[in-house]
C-alpha cells in the first residue's frame, strides 16, 4: 500500500535524524578531545538552539521532537563504552532533555484570554470584589482597590499588580527559578555589601543609600531628595540589598539557619525570596547528613528520622 505524501516526508525526516544519530554513535578513541566527548543537540536531531526555532522545525511538534531525541539518546548510551566520558555526557544530556520535555508538557498550548504570561508569571485578571485583606501592587507598591478596579495575580507565585503596571514588570516568577535551580542557599546571610551592588537595588536597580539618609519613603511615594535615593533593606536569605518597593520586611524561616544552628526564628527577606521559599517549602532537596552531620548529635528528633 502506497503511503500518502505527508507520511513519506515524515518518515524521510525521521530517517535523516536516525542516520545523523547513527553516525554520531561511532566509538571514540580513549584519547579523544573534550570536544568529541561533548554531545551536541545536532547529534540528537535537534537544532543547536532548539527553542529558537518555531514548533515543528522537523515537521513534528515540539513534544514529538524531544521524545525522538530522548529515544535516540538512549540508543547512543547503550552503544557507548561503559564508564567513558562520552557516556557520562550522554546521560547528562538525557536528563536535560527529559526536564525540557516535562517543562514543555506543563505549559498549556493556548492560554485563556484573561491570562497573560510575563517573565514566567501566569497572570490571571481578577475581577472587582471586596478583598479580605489589604493588597498592594508588587511593582509600584500602591494599594490595589479591589472594590473599584481589576488587577492581575500570578497563578504560580501569587504576584499581584495593577493592570497599568502589567507592562513594567521586572521580577521573574519564582516558579521559573524553582524549575531551573531547585536548591537552597546553605550559607547564612552571605552579605556582599552595597558597593558590590553599585549602591543599587538587586531587582529594580534603584539607587539606595544608608538608612540614616534623610528623605526616605515607601511604596512608590515621591522622595524628598533630588536624586530619588531609597533605603537599603537586607535580605537575610541571599545577603543582597533591595529597595523598599522590592523588600517589604516579609518574614520567613531561613533554611541555612536551620541547617547550621537549628534556628527557626523568621527573618526579614525580600519579596522575591519570600515567594521562592514558599514554593520550595515542601521540596526535599537538602541532605542534612552531608551539609551538617553534627546536627544529629544535638537534635534528638533528627536521630529518630535518620536513614542508616
Amino acid at each position: 500500500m502506497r503511503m500518502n505524501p505527508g507520511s513519506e516526508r515524515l518518515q524521510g525526516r525521521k530517517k535523516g535524524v536516525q542516520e545523523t544519530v547513527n553516525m554520531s554513535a561511532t566509538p571514540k578513541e580513549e584519547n579523544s578531545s573534550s570536544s568529541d566527548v561533548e554531545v551536541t543537540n545536532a547529534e540528537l536531531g535537534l537544532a543547536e538552539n532548539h527553542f529558537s526555532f518555531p514548533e515543528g522545525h522537523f515537521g513534528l511538534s515540539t513534544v514529538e521532537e524531544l521524545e525522538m531525541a530522548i529515544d535516540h539518546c538512549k540508543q547512543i548510551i547503550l552503544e557507548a563504552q561503559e564508564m567513558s566520558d562520552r557516556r557520562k555526557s550522554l546521560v547528562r544530556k538525557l536528563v536535560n532533555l527529559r526536564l525540557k520535555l516535562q517543562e514543555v508538557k506543563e505549559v498549556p498550548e493556548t492560554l485563556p484570554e484573561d491570562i497573560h504570561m510575563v517573565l514566567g508569571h501566569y497572570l490571571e485578571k481578577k475581577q472587582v470584589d471586596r478583598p479580605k485583606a489589604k493588597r498592594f501592587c508588587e511593582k509600584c507598591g500602591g494599594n490595589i482597590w479591589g472594590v473599584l478596579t481589576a488587577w492581575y495575580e500570578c497563578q504560580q507565585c501569587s504576584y499581584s499588580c495593577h493592570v497599568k503596571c502589567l507592562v513594567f514588570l521586572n521580577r521573574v516568577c519564582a516558579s521559573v527559578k524553582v524549575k531551573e535551580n531547585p536548591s537552597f542557599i546553605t550559607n547564612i546571610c552571605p552579605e556582599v555589601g552595597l558597593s558590590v551592588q553599585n549602591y543599587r537595588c538587586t531587582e529594580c536597580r534603584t539607587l539606595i543609600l544608608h538608612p540614616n539618609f534623610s528623605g526616605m519613603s515607601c511604596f512608590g511615594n515621591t522622595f524628598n531628595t533630588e536624586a530619588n535615593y531609597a533605603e537599603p533593606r537586607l535580605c537575610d536569605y541571599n545577603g543582597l540589598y533591595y529597595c523598599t518597593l522590592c523588600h517589604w520586611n516579609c518574614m520567613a524561616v531561613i533554611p541555612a539557619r536551620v541547617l547550621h544552628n537549628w534556628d527557626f526564628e523568621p527573618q526579614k527577606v525580600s519579596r522575591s525570596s519570600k515567594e521562592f521559599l514558599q514554593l520550595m517549602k515542601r521540596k526535599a532537596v537538602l541532605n542534612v547528613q552531608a551539609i551538617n552531620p553534627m546536627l544529629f548529635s544535638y537534635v534528638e528528633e533528627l536521630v529518630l528520622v535518620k536513614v542508616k
Side-chain angles (χ1 to χ4, degrees), residues 183-199:
S183 61
F184 291 110
I185 297 174
T186 55
N187 295 328
I188 297 177
C189 192
E191 184 180 355
V192 296
L194 277 172
S195 59
V196 177
Q197 298 181 205
N198 294 322
Y199 298 94

Side-chain angles (χ1 to χ4, degrees), residues 46-292:
L46 297 173
E48 284 297 327
N49 188 0
H50 174 65
F51 291 98
S52 66
F53 290 91
E55 185 174 320
H57 181 61
F58 289 102
L60 308 172
S61 68
T62 304
V63 174
E64 289 173 333
E65 288 182 20
L66 288 170
E67 289 176 344
M68 282 179 58
I70 289 172
D71 292 337
H72 298 332
C73 190
K74 290 179 181 178
Q75 181 181 346
I76 301 175
I77 290 175
L78 295 175
E79 296 174 357
Q81 184 180 357
E82 293 186 6
M83 303 302 295
S84 62
D85 292 338
R86 178 170 176 77
R87 189 163 192 171
K88 294 177 182 177
S89 179
L90 282 164
V91 171
R92 289 195 297 268
K93 195 71 176 180
L94 179 61
V95 172
N96 291 332
L97 285 171
R98 284 177 170 170
L99 290 174
K100 284 289 184 183
L101 178 61
Q102 180 180 354
E103 182 180 344
V104 170
K105 287 183 176 180
E106 288 177 354
V107 178
E109 294 182 0
T110 56
L111 293 174
E113 294 182 358
D114 59 342
I115 294 181
H116 294 267
M117 187 174 179
V118 182
L119 296 177
H121 294 283
Y122 286 87
L123 294 160
E124 181 182 6
K125 191 172 184 179
K126 298 292 184 178
Q127 301 302 322
V128 177
D129 67 349
R130 185 179 295 276
K132 297 180 181 179
K134 286 187 177 180
R135 186 180 289 108
F136 298 95
C137 175
E138 302 205 34
K139 173 56 186 176
C140 69
N143 284 308
I144 295 178
W145 300 103
V147 180
L148 303 176
T149 183
W151 76 98
Y152 284 97
E153 184 179 42
C154 179
Q155 296 178 340
Q156 307 289 331
C157 66
S158 301
Y159 182 98
S160 302
C161 70
H162 292 120
V163 175
K164 64 180 182 180
C165 297
L166 184 64
V167 296
F168 301 108
L169 304 189
N170 54 13
R171 183 189 305 168
V172 178
C173 182
S175 64
V176 176
K177 299 178 182 179
V178 170
K179 290 178 182 178
E180 292 179 350
N181 185 22
S183 61
F184 291 110
I185 297 174
T186 55
N187 295 328
I188 297 177
C189 192
E191 184 180 355
V192 296
L194 277 172
S195 59
V196 177
Q197 298 181 205
N198 294 322
Y199 298 94
R200 292 184 178 274
C201 172
T202 303
E203 186 172 307
C204 67
R205 308 308 296 166
T206 299
L207 289 170
I208 49 182
L209 281 180
H210 192 271
N212 293 332
F213 187 78
S214 60
M216 302 299 176
S217 62
C218 302
F219 300 125
N221 296 331
T222 304
F223 297 110
N224 296 326
T225 59
E226 296 181 0
N228 284 352
Y229 288 97
E231 173 192 355
R233 291 182 177 177
L234 178 66
C235 174
D236 195 81
Y237 171 67
N238 57 23
L240 299 174
Y241 284 93
Y242 296 80
C243 67
T244 54
L245 289 178
C246 304
H247 192 316
W248 296 359
N249 287 332
C250 299
M251 307 297 287
V253 176
I254 309 301
R257 294 186 180 274
V258 176
L259 280 171
H260 296 287
N261 300 331
W262 203 242
D263 179 10
F264 288 87
E265 185 70 23
Q267 305 293 331
K268 294 179 180 179
V269 296
S270 65
R271 288 296 300 166
S272 58
S273 296
K274 174 71 173 180
E275 294 165 359
F276 176 80
L277 292 172
Q278 188 66 31
L279 293 178
M280 289 285 294
K281 194 173 183 179
R282 296 188 178 277
K283 292 187 177 294
V285 297
L286 292 174
N287 187 345
V288 180
Q289 179 67 33
I291 299 173
N292 187 11

Side-chain angles (χ1 to χ4, degrees), residues 2-51:
R2 179 176 176 79
M3 300 174 61
N4 60 64
S7 299
E8 289 181 352
R9 288 195 295 271
L10 180 60
Q11 292 296 331
R13 292 189 182 97
K14 289 184 177 180
K15 183 178 180 182
V17 171
Q18 181 66 49
E19 290 176 353
T20 304
V21 173
N22 291 338
M23 291 175 62
S24 65
T26 305
K28 303 290 182 180
E29 297 180 0
E30 293 183 359
N31 59 353
S32 60
S33 62
S34 59
S35 60
D36 294 332
V37 172
E38 204 61 38
V39 182
T40 62
N41 288 333
E43 292 181 87
L44 301 175
L46 297 173
E48 284 297 327
N49 188 0
H50 174 65
F51 291 98

